[in-house]
Amino acid sequence: MSLRILHLTVARELTPGQLSQLRYEVRASQELEDVEWNTLVYHTASPCDHFVHRLPWLFRSVLLRKLFAWLWMKRHAHNYDFILCRHMTFDPFAFFFAWLIPNRVTVHHAKETEELRLIRQNWQGKAASILERWSGRIAVRTSAAILGVTSEIRDHELALHGKGKYIPASIYPNGILVDEVELLGNKISEKHLDIAFICGTFSSWHGLDILINQLLKYNVEDFQGSPITLHLIGRISPEQSKQVEIINNKNGSCRIEAHGLLTPDRYRKILSSCQAGLSSLALHRKGMTEASTLKVREMLALGLPVYSGHRDTALEESFPWYCIGDGSISDISHFVKKVSSTPRQTIRDDATPFIDKKAWMNDVARFLCHVKTKCTHGR
């Protein structure tokens, strides 16, 4: 069964990670069979690609851009079998428009009611969360299906909004085009551990403080280990910068290199000397235990094993190049030593079935074919 799918995002401004993910989607869509998959973005900033458009000036405020999304879907929904719409939080227009677009599929990237309270920890965050509980329920219960970036998010939405109603649900994890990622070189030291931690800005859920507290206590003799260099690639706060300085002045057992925000070409050179990369160590601070981050996929495609504090929704528990732990230096060191001799190509090849963008898009298309069939023949 051929499908016509549109993935619509209406937002304030795309983050670099969101833009990168959608670019992968656009390129992968050209290789799908029996699926016409289009990607469209409207945001308040200037266009940065052919599928990205600037919102008309009248619709650039927080609420009116949500109205624009509904008006656009109402006008164009008949051109597609399904419109995948990135869920819009605390959206009052859902009460009026949600019933009018039955082929809409909501795509959820977070536990929205909980995240809104974390973003603004005051009355505004509480008010937004309360509105989201009701507007989100209307948006979810009137949709043809829902997609979560992780299984945990999908299950959260069903538990919160799906009580007493059957709602088809699946996952759409982040993915990349592995063939477009050049394998890392191998400049690994046998006597020194180099570990990379990459993100845009080090926030509380990344758990950098957990590492810093560990490194303050780290001593080669105590752990019978090797000297460690932690490479931080991303923005750190002034307070984090002071802590880094304290560690670097402490002793020679460990060192932190704060490189700041770097382009991929620049941080590739650093990663080529690393035995492993790190993912968020404190995702529980966002009320989550599972994620599907682009950085993990990029590191695995580069041939870099990953140590993390949370489960990845796309990876099997037995996958050997992704280790889940408590963030202790001894645990990280043990994992790094165990995998450091593994060829980059092996890690990349083993990860490809789980991180390939086209494979996940095909899974979503198969899921939506099933939804369409059930809708056609009646539930």
Side-chain angles (χ1 to χ4, degrees):
M1 181 186 295
S2 61
L3 280 180
R4 294 167 298 162
I5 297 171
L6 173 73
H7 186 186
L8 175 66
T9 300
V10 179
R12 183 177 67 84
E13 184 175 356
L14 288 182
T15 66
Q18 290 168 349
L19 179 60
S20 177
Q21 186 60 203
L22 291 171
R23 281 174 170 161
Y24 282 129
E25 181 177 278
V26 169
R27 293 196 291 275
S29 68
Q30 299 167 11
E31 300 179 26
L32 300 180
E33 296 181 4
D34 298 323
V35 180
E36 180 187 327
W37 186 306
N38 296 288
T39 302
L40 180 63
V41 174
Y42 283 94
H43 71 164
T44 58
S46 299
C48 47
D49 213 315
H50 71 276
F51 61 91
V52 181
H53 304 271
R54 192 173 195 186
L55 281 162
W57 67 268
L58 182 63
F59 294 98
R60 291 176 191 167
S61 65
V62 173
L63 288 180
L64 290 184
R65 60 176 175 257
K66 304 177 197 294
L67 175 60
F68 176 88
W70 287 111
L71 293 174
W72 194 98
M73 285 190 286
K74 182 67 177 70
R75 182 177 180 183
H76 298 280
H78 66 277
N79 294 322
Y80 305 94
D81 293 301
F82 294 100
I83 293 182
L84 277 56
C85 181
R86 185 181 179 113
H87 180 63
M88 298 176 291
T89 56
F90 59 95
D91 175 16
F93 301 105
F95 295 102
F96 306 98
F97 288 97
W99 285 273
L100 304 178
I101 308 162
N103 60 337
R104 176 178 43 85
V105 177
T106 58
V107 183
H108 300 265
H109 291 252
K111 295 180 180 178
E112 295 98 358
T113 53
E114 297 181 15
E115 187 174 70
L116 288 168
R117 288 195 297 267
L118 287 172
I119 293 173
R120 291 193 176 184
Q121 299 180 11
N122 54 22
W123 69 268
Q124 291 175 309
K126 291 180 181 178
S129 180
I130 292 170
L131 176 56
E132 168 57 25
R133 181 175 287 271
W134 292 104
S135 65
R137 175 166 295 186
I138 296 298
V140 167
R141 291 175 71 88
T142 56
S143 64
I146 66 172
L147 293 171
V149 173
T150 70
S151 303
E152 182 181 20
I153 292 172
R154 175 203 60 197
D155 295 344
H156 171 79
E157 293 300 321
L158 288 175
L160 188 64
H161 301 310
K163 294 175 182 176
K165 180 177 174 62
Y166 170 74
I167 304 173
S170 189
I171 61 171
Y172 182 28
N174 288 322
I176 64 173
L177 298 180
V178 176
D179 291 341
E180 293 187 4
V181 180
E182 185 181 350
L183 201 66
L184 282 177
N186 198 339
K187 300 179 181 177
I188 293 175
S189 168
E190 294 182 0
K191 298 181 180 180
H192 194 280
L193 300 185
D194 284 87
I195 304 165
F197 204 170
I198 312 172
C199 67
T201 300
F202 285 92
S203 302
S204 62
W205 57 84
H206 291 113
L208 179 57
D209 59 303
I210 295 173
L211 279 178
I212 287 174
N213 290 334
Q214 288 283 320
L215 289 173
L216 283 169
K217 306 171 187 176
Y218 183 75
N219 185 284
V220 172
E221 287 75 23
D222 292 342
F223 289 97
Q224 297 181 348
S226 305
I228 290 179
T229 297
L230 174 63
H231 298 273
L232 301 182
I233 302 170
R235 300 184 189 92
I236 61 173
S237 68
E239 182 181 352
Q240 289 168 335
S241 182
K242 290 178 183 177
Q243 293 171 325
V244 166
E245 190 175 344
I246 291 172
I247 288 174
N248 288 341
N249 290 333
K250 180 175 176 286
N251 58 47
S253 298
C254 58
R255 180 167 182 81
I256 299 179
E257 296 283 352
H259 301 278
L261 201 60
L262 301 178
T263 62
D265 286 343
R266 292 182 64 189
Y267 68 63
R268 278 182 61 88
K269 297 177 182 178
I270 298 168
L271 296 185
S272 65
S273 66
C274 293
Q275 292 98 334
L278 299 178
S279 186
S280 296
L281 299 172
L283 202 64
H284 60 274
R285 293 171 179 170
K286 292 182 72 175
M288 298 172 67
T289 60
E290 186 177 89
S292 172
T293 60
L294 188 58
K295 280 290 177 279
V296 166
R297 280 133 188 80
E298 289 177 342
M299 287 190 285
L300 291 173
L302 288 166
L304 200 65
V306 178
Y307 182 97
S308 175
H310 60 267
R311 185 174 174 270
D312 189 290
T313 198
L315 300 175
E316 296 175 347
E317 290 186 16
S318 60
F319 184 74
W321 319 122
Y322 184 86
C323 177
I324 304 170
D326 59 5
S328 68
I329 293 301
S330 57
D331 195 36
I332 295 172
S333 299
H334 177 73
F335 170 68
V336 172
K337 289 177 181 178
K338 185 170 71 172
V339 300
S340 60
S341 61
T342 307
R344 305 273 199 212
Q345 188 68 54
T346 299
I347 295 168
R348 174 195 182 101
D349 290 345
D350 289 351
T352 296
F354 305 106
I355 64 176
D356 181 63
K357 185 67 176 179
K358 188 172 72 171
W360 283 113
M361 292 171 72
N362 275 321
D363 278 359
V364 169
R366 284 191 289 270
F367 164 69
L368 293 178
C369 276
H370 179 68
V371 172
K372 184 178 179 181
T373 301
K374 292 197 75 171
C375 289
T376 302
H377 295 93
R379 292 175 181 168

